[in-house]
């Protein structure tokens, strides 16, 4: 970025934006100024009065002391949230346990079925041998 060129600009707003951009390493301050200028230019071309744009961030909320009633409400909400979170975690844990049990049962069933298939395949092979031997004898 051409630091010297931007700092030589006569417009104070552009200089401030340039400094902010250099400090933050971001071009956002310069883009904001450019957008402001384009808006002003469009308004002037239409013959409308120039409006002043405030491109600063919104003011932050200051932490204020809470009244005893507000503190009580806050505590109640926190307690409710804790109970709800605990209930949710227990429910999720129960679901997981149930699913794990079901997975285990299905795996055992699958293993039994595979064993049956293997046994039946051996039985079929033996029957074919017997049929083959009968056919050869005749």
């Amino acid at each position: 970025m051409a630091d010297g060129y931007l700092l030589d600009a006569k417009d104070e707003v552009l200089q401030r934006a340039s400094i902010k951009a250099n400090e933050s390493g971001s071009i956002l301050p310069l883009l904001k100024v450019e957008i402001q200028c384009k808006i002003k230019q469009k308004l002037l071309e239409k013959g409308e009065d120039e409006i002043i744009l405030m491109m600063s961030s919104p003011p932050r909320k200051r932490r204020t002391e809470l009244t005893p009633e507000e503190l009580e409400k806050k505590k109640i909400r926190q307690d409710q949230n804790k109970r709800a979170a605990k209930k949710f975690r227990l429910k999720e844990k129960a679901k997981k346990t149930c699913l794990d049990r079901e997975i285990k049962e299905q795996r055992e069933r699958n293993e039994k079925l595979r064993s049956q298939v293997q046994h039946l395949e051996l039985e079929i092979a033996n029957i074919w041998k017997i049929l083959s031997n009968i056919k050869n004898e005749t």
Side-chain angles (χ1 to χ4, degrees), residues 1 3 6-7 14-33:
M1 190 176 266
D3 295 340
L6 291 176
L7 290 176
L14 188 57
Q15 284 181 349
R16 282 189 300 236
S18 174
I19 292 168
K20 281 185 185 176
N22 285 331
E23 289 172 353
S24 67
S26 170
I27 62 167
L28 288 178
L30 292 172
L31 290 175
K32 286 180 181 180
V33 170

Side-chain angles (χ1 to χ4, degrees), residues 12-63:
E12 288 181 35
V13 175
L14 188 57
Q15 284 181 349
R16 282 189 300 236
S18 174
I19 292 168
K20 281 185 185 176
N22 285 331
E23 289 172 353
S24 67
S26 170
I27 62 167
L28 288 178
L30 292 172
L31 290 175
K32 286 180 181 180
V33 170
E34 181 181 2
I35 291 170
Q36 283 177 340
C37 290
K38 288 192 180 208
I39 291 171
K40 287 177 185 177
Q41 180 184 0
K42 293 282 183 183
L43 289 173
L44 291 174
E45 285 174 1
K46 291 180 180 179
E48 297 177 13
D49 290 336
E50 185 177 332
I51 58 171
I52 299 172
L53 298 174
M54 301 301 286
M55 298 296 282
S56 62
S57 58
R60 293 186 181 176
K61 290 184 179 180
R62 294 186 179 148
R63 290 191 177 205

Side-chain angles (χ1 to χ4, degrees), residues 85-106:
K86 186 175 184 178
K87 182 179 176 182
F88 175 79
R89 286 191 298 271
L90 288 172
K91 192 175 178 182
E92 289 296 306
K93 188 175 181 180
K95 273 187 199 176
K96 185 183 180 309
T97 303
C98 183
L99 288 173
D100 287 344
R101 188 177 339 108
E102 191 175 331
I103 288 170
K104 183 181 177 187
E105 290 170 1
Q106 291 298 329

Side-chain angles (χ1 to χ4, degrees), residues 66-81:
L66 297 177
T67 64
E69 295 85 23
E70 291 172 329
L71 287 170
E72 183 63 27
K73 283 183 182 179
K74 182 178 178 182
K75 176 101 172 84
I76 290 170
R77 281 193 313 269
Q78 286 174 336
D79 290 342
Q80 286 175 338
N81 189 42

